[in-house]
Amino acid sequence: MGMRRVIALSMILLGGLVASAPAAWAAAEVHRLSLILSSNPTQLVGGDFNDLLDDYNQEVLNPRGLETLDKISNSWYQQAELRYFVRPNVSVSAGFGYIRSITRLEYLPRLSESIHHRVEVLSVPVHVGAAYYLAPYNQGDFQARAYLGGGFLSYTGTKVVFERLEFGTDDVTTLAEPDEPRSFRVTGERDGPGYYLEAGAHMFFAVRYSVMLGVIYRRGAIRDLALSADLYLPDGQVVTVPLSDEETFSIDLGGVGARMGVGIGF
């Protein structure tokens, strides 16, 4: 299912749940402190990293008529946070998440020959924020409250990897130019700041568990990644070379995603 369809389905469900409930106080359990566990399909913009993949496709793979590498475009944002109501209509939150997107592509030029590609992006966003809750909608022991919020992000442990490993290739089947290493791994690492905005509905029931459905918009362009390349030489040596000429290389981890979370009240 595409990212837009997931977000649209979540919003339709959210609107139906909120609109179907009349305004009256109910016996739903609203805990001041909750642990929210979310699994959020999200967009990834990509930035310079996608430009690198596009250049590789155009210069190396397309001229040989080979299948091209997919760009980094989406991922699952796994998230855990503590949300505390400092007032009945205001909550503060803090937590962390995990974003990972990986693409693999393999070619088999001849018997006993193989070429493996791996493209990977990972990051551990840490966030603090706050949310304002609108007036509740109640029905029996069910309560739904729309919320608007936002906060700051720190994309920690961010790493990008672009790897090509050739096994058994010769001068005809290799993807490398003459005098270039046939196998390499380019990596880039750096932390960076960002922010997020969110909107949705928090639904409470006559139990300690609650459900959150909404949309999250994130910004997070991490610039000046420290790039290096591991070059695998024919004699088995591995040479690490810093790529200092790529000082402006960036990865954009921003995007729009759907929030689907379950809360455990304390």
Side-chain angles (χ1 to χ4, degrees):
M1 181 180 293
M3 185 64 59
R4 294 182 179 178
R5 295 181 61 186
V6 171
I7 296 175
L9 183 60
S10 300
M11 290 301 95
I12 292 172
L13 178 59
L14 167 63
L17 289 171
V18 174
S20 64
W25 187 255
E29 292 189 21
V30 181
H31 295 264
R32 295 194 70 177
L33 177 65
S34 295
L35 171 64
I36 309 294
L37 303 176
S38 303
S39 186
N40 312 319
T42 185
Q43 172 195 23
L44 295 179
V45 175
D48 290 345
F49 194 59
N50 277 342
D51 293 339
L52 171 66
L53 298 180
D54 188 58
D55 290 342
Y56 184 82
N57 287 335
Q58 295 298 325
E59 297 174 8
V60 178
L61 302 183
N62 278 338
R64 294 172 170 84
L66 298 174
E67 180 183 356
T68 56
L69 287 163
D70 292 332
K71 295 182 179 180
I72 298 298
S73 60
N74 58 75
S75 176
W76 284 90
Y77 178 22
Q78 312 295 347
Q79 187 182 39
E81 72 171 30
L82 288 173
R83 181 165 293 220
Y84 181 76
F85 281 92
V86 295
R87 298 182 59 185
N89 61 343
V90 177
S91 71
V92 293
S93 60
F96 66 95
Y98 183 73
I99 293 175
R100 185 187 186 197
S101 179
I102 185 168
T103 299
R104 299 181 188 274
L105 186 60
E106 180 182 16
Y107 306 119
L108 302 174
R110 294 175 181 168
L111 189 64
S112 301
E113 295 184 356
S114 63
I115 303 173
H116 301 267
H117 289 87
R118 178 170 66 97
V119 176
E120 183 174 4
V121 173
L122 60 89
S123 184
V124 180
V126 178
H127 73 275
V128 292
Y132 178 79
Y133 281 71
L134 305 180
Y137 292 84
N138 304 280
Q139 184 174 23
D141 59 0
F142 167 79
Q143 180 183 122
R145 302 188 67 180
Y147 66 87
L148 300 171
F152 298 99
L153 285 162
S154 177
Y155 290 94
T156 65
T158 301
K159 182 177 182 179
V160 299
V161 178
F162 177 35
E163 178 182 71
R164 185 182 77 203
L165 300 178
E166 296 193 10
F167 301 93
T169 56
D170 55 29
D171 293 340
V172 176
T173 57
T174 182
L175 299 181
E177 295 295 328
D179 301 325
E180 287 185 354
R182 297 180 182 180
S183 298
F184 62 84
R185 178 188 292 116
V186 176
T187 59
E189 300 181 12
R190 190 174 294 277
D191 298 343
Y195 68 88
Y196 72 95
L197 302 172
E198 63 175 351
H202 198 163
M203 290 160 281
F204 303 92
F205 308 90
V207 292
R208 61 186 297 192
Y209 302 102
S210 61
V211 173
M212 295 186 72
L213 291 176
V215 173
I216 301 178
Y217 170 75
R218 294 174 295 99
R219 284 295 302 270
I222 304 172
R223 307 184 187 281
D224 301 330
L225 269 73
L227 291 178
S228 64
D230 294 330
L231 308 179
Y232 299 87
L233 304 182
D235 60 3
Q237 296 187 60
V238 180
V239 178
T240 300
V241 179
L243 303 180
S244 57
D245 60 331
E246 297 290 351
E247 296 179 355
T248 61
F249 190 87
S250 67
I251 178 70
D252 193 337
L253 298 177
V256 179
R259 177 163 197 170
M260 300 179 290
V262 175
I264 305 171
F266 298 103

